[in-house]
Amino acid sequence: MEQQNLPSSVHATDFKESENLEGKCTKIEGYDLNQGVNYSQLLKSLATTGFQASNLGDAIDVVNQMLDWRLADEDITEDCSEEEKDPAYRESLRSKGLNRIGNLLVPNDNYCKFEDWIIPIFDQMLKEQIEENVLWTPSKLIARLGKEINDDSSYLYWACKNNIPVFCPGLADGSLGDMLYFHSFRSSGLIVDVVQDIRAMNGEAVHASPRKTGIVILGGGLPKHHICNANMMRNGADYAVFINTAQEFDGSDSGASPDEAISWGIS
């Protein structure tokens, strides 16, 4: 077989002299385990480990920047409101008795008022449980709150008024769970039975008439999983609309497409 020489142009292309990157880029190197396990330095080293670890390191850096940021560190600009120009206002939220939920600010006073309003309701519910043998479920508790709210701007008010059940599989999450926790120390014994709500919610799907069900899910996570599971009891929903901002690539239930939900029986 005749030996062919490698064209000089190919060699020149593949072995082109590299540009000197010294001082221009971060050097990629992993954590030196000879230093022992220093978790702070270990996490910091992810930024220079390469591939996905570098992305995780960038994410950690951004999160730390978020935690360290204070309005007081920013310059006062012309478009700042008068309130934002106040040095006291510009301190960190916690010291101001404010809580951040997403892009909302909730004053501590709101939680205090919520506790003052809801604890007497729990007291009455416990009394009815003991004296009248009432079996409370998350949906019955929510209906009771709708009744007590007495405010026509609340959807719970209208749900209660029209006998529409509101199911909440994550009832103990958030402030309502905190109030149940606090009440258990004040007057122990209030029982909220989740099993009866599972029966009721799954029953809504199983006995749906006429023969078909459709689901519209805003968001994802626990509510989406719950409603898809309920419809699986009847071999799946016939129509489905998912509206959320989640992505498919991370394998989460929130980001799963309707196509993926075929395994759940969504047709």
Side-chain angles (χ1 to χ4, degrees):
M1 183 175 181
E2 183 181 354
Q3 183 177 359
Q4 295 181 344
N5 294 326
L6 182 68
S8 59
S9 60
V10 175
H11 187 277
T13 299
D14 286 351
F15 295 96
K16 180 178 176 62
E17 184 177 353
S18 301
E19 178 185 347
N20 188 354
L21 299 178
E22 190 70 31
K24 298 180 181 179
C25 302
T26 302
K27 184 179 179 181
I28 298 299
E29 54 184 352
Y31 178 73
D32 183 3
L33 291 173
N34 291 319
Q35 302 177 23
V37 180
N38 182 319
Y39 290 108
S40 177
Q41 291 300 316
L42 178 60
L43 291 175
K44 186 177 180 180
S45 73
L46 292 176
T48 60
T49 299
F51 292 100
Q52 288 88 343
S54 296
N55 291 331
L56 178 57
D58 290 342
I60 292 172
D61 183 54
V62 171
V63 170
N64 285 330
Q65 291 178 41
M66 292 167 60
L67 295 176
D68 293 339
W69 181 87
R70 296 292 183 272
L71 180 61
D73 297 333
E74 299 288 328
D75 294 331
I76 298 177
T77 59
E78 294 182 359
D79 60 348
C80 285
S81 65
E82 289 302 315
E83 187 177 39
E84 290 177 340
K85 294 178 181 178
D86 182 359
Y89 176 84
R90 298 174 69 82
E91 296 177 358
S92 63
L93 291 176
R94 191 66 176 175
S95 66
K96 300 293 293 181
L98 299 174
N99 303 274
R100 183 179 62 80
I101 302 177
N103 60 351
L104 303 176
L105 293 181
V106 181
N108 279 346
D109 290 348
N110 286 26
Y111 292 104
C112 296
K113 292 175 182 177
F114 184 46
E115 181 178 11
D116 292 341
W117 177 75
I118 203 169
I119 293 298
I121 297 176
F122 287 163
D123 287 338
Q124 182 60 33
M125 289 171 57
L126 177 58
K127 181 179 179 182
E128 293 174 21
Q129 175 185 300
I130 296 172
E131 297 180 359
E132 303 174 26
N133 199 30
V134 175
L135 178 62
W136 295 104
T137 67
S139 61
K140 287 182 179 178
L141 187 158
I142 291 171
R144 183 59 170 268
L145 298 184
K147 178 181 178 181
E148 297 289 345
I149 285 173
N150 194 30
D151 183 347
D152 61 11
S153 68
S154 167
Y155 79 93
L156 292 183
Y157 168 87
W158 290 107
C160 176
K161 195 175 184 67
N162 292 279
N163 296 316
I164 299 173
V166 176
F167 297 105
C168 182
L171 184 75
D173 187 23
S175 182
L176 187 58
D178 294 341
M179 299 309 162
L180 287 168
Y181 171 72
F182 296 147
H183 183 265
S184 70
F185 287 96
R186 169 176 169 157
S187 304
S188 63
L190 180 62
I191 298 173
V192 181
D193 185 3
V194 299
V195 175
Q196 295 303 312
D197 259 14
I198 293 174
R199 285 177 57 94
M201 185 172 180
N202 289 0
E204 290 278 349
V206 172
H207 303 296
S209 180
R211 299 186 181 179
K212 293 182 181 292
T213 61
I215 58 179
V216 177
I217 300 178
L218 307 180
L222 182 60
K224 178 181 178 183
H225 186 273
H226 218 59
I227 192 66
C228 286
N229 189 70
N231 279 271
M232 190 173 67
M233 300 296 171
R234 61 174 302 282
N235 202 29
D238 301 281
Y239 308 96
V241 175
F242 300 159
I243 301 176
N244 59 61
T245 57
Q247 303 292 320
E248 294 181 53
F249 66 85
D250 62 1
S252 68
D253 182 65
S254 297
S257 68
D259 289 339
E260 185 277 338
I262 290 176
S263 62
W264 287 76
I266 304 296
S267 60

